[in-house]
Amino acid sequence: MLKQTYKICFCFRRRFKLTVAEPPAEIKSLFDKYSENGIMTADHLNRFLIEVQGERTATKQEAEAIIESLKELKHLNMFHRKTLNLEAFFKYLFSDSNTPLLNKVNQDMTASLSHYFVFTGHNSYLTGNQLSSDCSDVPIIKALQRGVRVIELDLWPNSSKDDIHVIHGRTLTTPVELIKCLKSIKEHAFEASEYPVIITLEDHLTPDLRAKMAKMVTQIYGDVLHAPAGSECSSEFPSPESLKGRIVISTKPPKEYLESKSLQEKDEDSEKGEDSSKKNSWGIEVSDLKSKFENFDKINPEDGDDAEEEDIDDAESKLQQSSATEYGSLIAIHAGKLKGGINEWLKIDPDKVRRISLNEQKLEKAVIIHSTELIRFTQKNLLRVFPRGTRFDSSNYNPLLGWMYGAQMVAFNMQVAYSAFLENVNLWLFLYDVTCKVIHICQTVRGHGRSLWLMQGLFRANGGCGYVKKPDILLKVSPGNEVFDPKAKLPVNKTLKVKVYMGEGWYLDFRHTHFDIYSPPDFYVRVGIAGVPADSLMKKTRSIEDDWTPTWNEEFEFPLTVPELALLRIEVHDYDMSEKDDFGGQTCLPLSELRTGIRTVPLYDQKGDKYNNVKLLMRFEFV
C-alpha cells in the first residue's frame, strides 16, 4: 500500500493511502461457488461463462484459452498453469478481454442501405467552428479512423475559377484543395472498416469545374469508385456487403445532366418504343423537369441564319451536357431537391430511391404531424439530418430524434478540439454584419459533448464498422398499415439491472492534482438510459471520498419500453462542493448488443478517445 502527499501550505501536508483494487464481496462469493478449494478449473470457468455471463455457446476450449492468456501475468502467483485462483479470476473479470460489447461485425449486412444507421459527419473538413476555422484533410482522416462512413465536402471554385476548393462557403474559413481531400479519403477510407465510404457533396461548381472534378475523381479512385451500371435496378439501394471496399458519391445531379437524360430517354422511346424505366441506372433520381424542357422542340436545319446561330448554341449546350453526363454518371446516390411542402418531400416513388436532407429544425417540425410518413419514407429511401445553421460553435443536437424516425444519416460535427471560437478581429466584424446583435463567444468547440457521446455509442455496435442495422420496429408495417410511433405509450418490454461495483485507472492516467489540489478525487457514477422519451432516465451513485480506486456496490433498475432504440449512458465525475464537478470519463453502450454478466467497461474522454487504464467493473442483467 502506497501513500500520496498533497501540499496544503508551505508547512503542512496531507497524506492519503493509495489502495489496490480488491475483489468486491459478490465476486468472492461467485468464485467460491464456481471453484473448489480455492481453485477454478477450465470446467468451472466454462460453467461460470454460461450461467453468469450469459455466453450460452461458451466451450471448455474457450475457458482454457482464457486461463492460458492469464499465465503470462507472472505476478498473479497462479497455483497451476491450468487453473485460476481468486486473484487471477478477478484480474480476468477486470481486463480488457471481458468487455460489454463484441468487437466484430455480427449483423446481417446484405439488406438495402436504407435499412442501416450510418456513421455520418457534417462539414467533415472543418478543424473547428463553422465561421472562421481552417479547412483541412486532417479532421477527415481522423473521422475515418474513428469509423465515420459518410464524409461531407462543400465544393466551390477558387478565386481564379480554374480549380476546386473545399470550403464552408460565404464564411471566413480558409480553404483546402479538393484533390488533397480526395487523396486522403482514398488512403484512409478503410482503416477502421471495410464497409463503403459515402462522400456527400454540396456542389457550387460551374459545368467546366464539374467536368474537372469528374476526371479527378475517376483518376484518383479508379475501380474503388462505385459508379452504377445502366442495367442496375433503381428501385432499391445496394447493400453494405455488396459495396465493401468501395467509395460512393452522393449529391444532387446537375441540371444539365437531368436535361440530357430526359432528352436521351425521349429519343430512345420514340425510336425504339422501349420502356424507358428499363434504361434507368441504379440510384438515379429523375426529378420532374420544368415545362420548358418538356416542350423542347428540335432545331430545324432549314431555318437559315437564325438556325445557324441556334446550331452553335445547341453545340455549346451539348458540350455542357456531355461534361455534365460524365459528372452525373459518377453519382450513385442521388439527392433530391426539396420542392413544395413536406408532403411532396416524403412522397415514395416505387421505382426510384433517393436521399433527401433536412436540418434539425425541419425534422422537429416534421415529426409533429408527419411521423408516420417519415418512417415509411426511410424504410426505402435515405434521410440525412444536419445541424441548424446557427450552430456556429460546431455543437450538436440529440441524434435520437433522427434515429427514432428512421433517419439513416444523422450528420454530426466531429471536429478536433479548437482553442478559440473567434480567431481574429475580422470575425467580430463579420458577426456584427450578419447578425447585428451580441453573440455569445465560446472558448472551445462544443461538438464534443453528450450528443456526440451518444453518436459514438451507437456506432460501437456491430464491431464499430460504421453501419448498424435498424431495429425491426422501424422496418416493418403492421397488417393495419401502421408503423412504429416513438411517442406512443407502450408497456414495459424488459427491465435492465445495472450494478456498479468499482473503478480504477485514474491514478495512472491523471496527475495526482488533476481533480483536486489538496486531496484525491471524490468519484461518483451517473448511469442512465437515452432512448424514446418514456425510457430516458438518469441515476447516480453516492460519492466516495478521497479514493483513486472507489468501490460503490450500488444497483439500479431501468424499465424499458423500446430497448431496441436505447443506449446505456455511463459517466464518472469528481464531486466538488464549491465548483463545477470535474469530468472523469464516459461511455455509451447500445443495449441491443450489451453482453450480460460481470463486465469491464472502458471509459473515454470528452472527445471519445479511450483512456489507457480508466475502467469500471459492472454487472448487467435483463429481466
Side-chain angles (χ1 to χ4, degrees):
M1 187 174 293
L2 302 175
K3 292 185 178 180
Q4 193 174 65
T5 302
Y6 291 82
K7 287 184 178 181
I8 302 300
C9 62
F10 291 109
C11 58
F12 182 67
R13 299 169 187 262
R14 299 177 71 190
R15 287 188 177 182
F16 296 88
K17 294 178 180 179
L18 286 175
T19 58
V20 178
E22 293 185 356
E26 187 172 324
I27 303 299
K28 293 178 181 178
S29 297
L30 285 168
F31 180 79
D32 291 340
K33 180 180 179 180
Y34 290 91
S35 66
E36 291 181 11
N37 300 320
I39 298 297
M40 178 179 279
T41 65
D43 287 325
H44 293 142
L45 179 58
N46 185 45
R47 191 159 62 92
F48 170 82
L49 294 176
I50 293 172
E51 296 178 4
V52 178
Q53 301 295 80
E55 300 176 24
R56 306 301 181 194
T57 60
T59 64
K60 182 178 178 181
Q61 289 72 25
E62 291 172 340
E64 289 174 343
I66 292 172
I67 295 174
E68 189 69 19
S69 67
L70 291 169
K71 185 180 66 174
E72 300 175 358
L73 303 176
K74 301 183 185 302
H75 67 281
L76 291 180
N77 191 28
M78 294 165 64
F79 294 129
H80 192 275
R81 60 177 297 183
K82 294 185 179 180
T83 62
L84 299 178
N85 58 17
L86 174 60
E87 184 184 7
F89 176 66
F90 176 58
K91 182 61 67 172
Y92 159 66
L93 290 179
F94 216 168
S95 70
D96 291 337
S97 61
N98 184 38
T99 54
L101 300 175
L102 290 174
N103 189 27
K104 63 179 182 180
V105 174
N106 54 76
Q107 298 178 356
D108 173 26
M109 302 299 286
T110 61
S112 164
L113 281 175
S114 62
H115 289 200
Y116 299 84
F117 298 126
V118 191
F119 204 176
T120 303
H122 173 253
N123 289 349
S124 307
Y125 50 86
L126 286 179
T127 60
N129 69 75
Q130 303 287 308
L131 296 180
S132 64
S133 63
D134 292 332
C135 300
S136 169
D137 64 329
V138 173
I140 294 173
I141 294 170
K142 290 190 175 183
L144 291 170
Q145 291 172 338
R146 287 180 179 271
V148 173
R149 298 289 87 192
V150 182
I151 299 296
E152 181 185 19
L153 302 178
D154 286 6
L155 309 183
W156 292 81
N158 66 352
S159 57
S160 57
K161 311 295 183 185
D162 61 354
D163 202 0
I164 305 167
H165 277 168
V166 174
I167 186 173
H168 196 200
R170 302 185 181 92
T171 67
L172 298 178
T173 55
T174 56
V176 61
E177 292 181 343
L178 171 63
I179 191 169
K180 188 175 183 180
C181 296
L182 295 178
K183 287 181 177 179
S184 293
I185 291 173
K186 182 181 181 182
E187 183 178 353
H188 300 278
F190 306 107
E191 286 184 12
S193 170
E194 60 185 341
Y195 289 95
V197 169
I198 301 171
I199 304 176
T200 60
L201 304 177
E202 288 293 331
D203 176 1
H204 304 275
L205 303 177
T206 61
D208 290 343
L209 288 179
R210 287 195 188 106
K212 183 173 183 176
M213 189 262 187
K215 291 180 181 177
M216 196 183 299
V217 168
T218 303
Q219 290 173 357
I220 292 173
Y221 294 140
D223 294 339
V224 174
L225 183 70
H226 173 69
S231 60
E232 288 191 59
C233 178
S234 63
S235 61
E236 186 177 75
F237 290 112
S239 69
E241 186 69 26
S242 68
L243 294 175
K244 268 186 179 178
R246 308 299 290 275
I247 291 174
V248 180
I249 303 296
S250 176
T251 188
K252 298 173 185 175
K255 180 181 67 175
E256 299 88 355
Y257 175 67
L258 294 176
E259 213 174 299
S260 65
K261 290 293 290 180
S262 176
L263 293 175
Q264 179 183 0
E265 288 165 3
K266 284 184 178 182
D267 290 343
E268 289 172 350
D269 288 347
S270 61
E271 292 176 9
K272 300 181 181 180
E274 294 182 358
D275 182 0
S276 62
S277 65
K278 295 180 181 179
K279 298 296 181 179
N280 293 333
S281 63
W282 169 86
I284 289 180
E285 170 203 345
V286 180
S287 303
D288 292 335
L289 300 177
K290 295 181 180 179
S291 58
K292 65 177 180 180
F293 297 128
E294 292 176 349
N295 298 324
F296 187 85
D297 293 325
K298 292 184 177 180
I299 301 297
N300 185 348
E302 299 179 357
D303 285 346
D305 294 338
D306 290 340
E308 183 177 351
E309 291 178 3
E310 290 176 353
D311 283 345
I312 295 173
D313 292 339
D314 187 46
E316 291 177 352
S317 174
K318 287 182 178 180
L319 185 61
Q320 279 191 350
Q321 290 177 356
S322 176
S323 63
T325 300
E326 184 180 3
Y327 173 82
S329 63
L330 302 179
I331 304 172
I333 299 176
H334 284 218
K337 185 175 182 180
L338 300 182
K339 297 179 180 180
I342 195 166
N343 287 325
E344 292 295 319
W345 305 345
L346 298 178
K347 277 186 177 179
I348 298 174
D349 188 332
D351 299 319
K352 306 286 183 186
V353 287
R354 60 190 175 119
R355 170 178 72 82
I356 67 169
S357 294
L358 300 176
N359 65 33
E360 57 177 292
Q361 291 168 308
K362 287 183 178 178
L363 178 67
E364 289 170 0
K365 294 177 181 178
V367 300
I368 296 174
I369 303 176
H370 301 281
S371 60
T372 298
E373 290 84 352
L374 274 169
I375 292 178
R376 285 183 179 148
F377 180 85
T378 57
Q379 290 176 341
K380 178 181 178 67
N381 300 279
L382 297 178
L383 173 60
R384 175 178 171 269
V385 182
F386 59 95
R388 66 176 186 267
T390 54
R391 292 187 181 273
F392 304 128
D393 56 357
S394 293
S395 59
N396 285 309
Y397 51 99
N398 188 342
L400 282 159
L401 183 63
W403 295 334
M404 286 189 296
Y405 291 91
Q408 297 88 348
M409 299 180 177
V410 178
F412 257 41
N413 293 308
M414 301 179 192
Q415 290 83 348
V416 296
Y418 211 62
S419 59
F421 179 56
L422 298 184
E423 286 83 358
N424 50 55
V425 176
N426 289 334
L427 186 55
W428 280 96
L429 301 175
F430 175 80
L431 289 174
Y432 182 79
D433 289 341
V434 171
T435 65
C436 295
K437 63 182 180 180
V438 177
I439 292 184
H440 175 65
I441 307 303
C442 297
Q443 293 304 313
T444 57
V445 169
R446 293 175 55 202
H448 302 128
R450 290 190 172 98
S451 294
L452 184 58
W453 301 345
L454 294 179
M455 175 69 67
Q456 293 167 340
L458 175 71
F459 289 102
R460 289 191 180 104
N462 204 23
C465 74
Y467 288 82
V468 174
K469 191 85 170 352
K470 294 200 289 187
D472 290 341
I473 55 173
L474 291 174
L475 298 173
K476 66 182 180 181
V477 178
S478 70
N481 204 30
E482 296 178 353
V483 296
F484 170 68
D485 182 3
K487 299 189 295 291
K489 292 184 178 180
L490 301 172
V492 173
N493 185 303
K494 60 178 66 174
T495 297
L496 173 65
K497 288 185 177 181
V498 177
K499 186 161 188 177
V500 185
Y501 290 115
M502 59 184 300
E504 70 171 10
W506 291 279
Y507 177 72
L508 297 173
D509 289 348
F510 295 85
R511 67 183 186 276
H512 78 287
T513 57
H514 176 87
F515 297 102
D516 196 320
I517 299 176
Y518 306 116
S519 65
D522 307 325
F523 286 129
Y524 66 88
V525 182
R526 298 180 74 235
V527 185
I529 298 295
V532 298
D535 294 345
S536 299
L537 180 66
M538 288 297 291
K539 300 180 180 181
K540 74 175 186 177
T541 68
R542 69 190 188 281
S543 297
I544 304 297
E545 293 185 2
D546 302 333
D547 199 337
W548 286 98
T549 312
T551 298
W552 296 279
N553 283 322
E554 294 190 40
E555 188 172 57
F556 305 99
E557 291 190 4
F558 300 97
L560 304 167
T561 61
V562 189
E564 303 96 321
L565 285 171
L567 293 165
L568 178 64
R569 291 178 51 195
I570 302 168
E571 299 176 17
V572 177
H573 297 271
D574 165 49
Y575 174 72
D576 194 321
M577 184 180 299
S578 59
E579 299 178 2
K580 183 179 179 182
D581 293 350
D582 295 315
F583 174 82
Q586 59 82 23
T587 191
C588 288
L589 303 171
L591 293 196
S592 60
E593 294 196 8
L594 187 65
R595 301 169 74 195
T596 58
I598 300 168
R599 302 293 176 183
T600 297
V601 179
L603 297 185
Y604 299 77
D605 65 16
Q606 289 173 303
K607 291 185 288 184
D609 294 327
K610 185 180 174 183
Y611 290 122
N612 293 327
N613 301 284
V614 177
K615 53 193 176 184
L616 299 175
L617 186 65
M618 305 179 70
R619 184 170 184 171
F620 308 110
E621 182 183 4
F622 288 104
V623 293

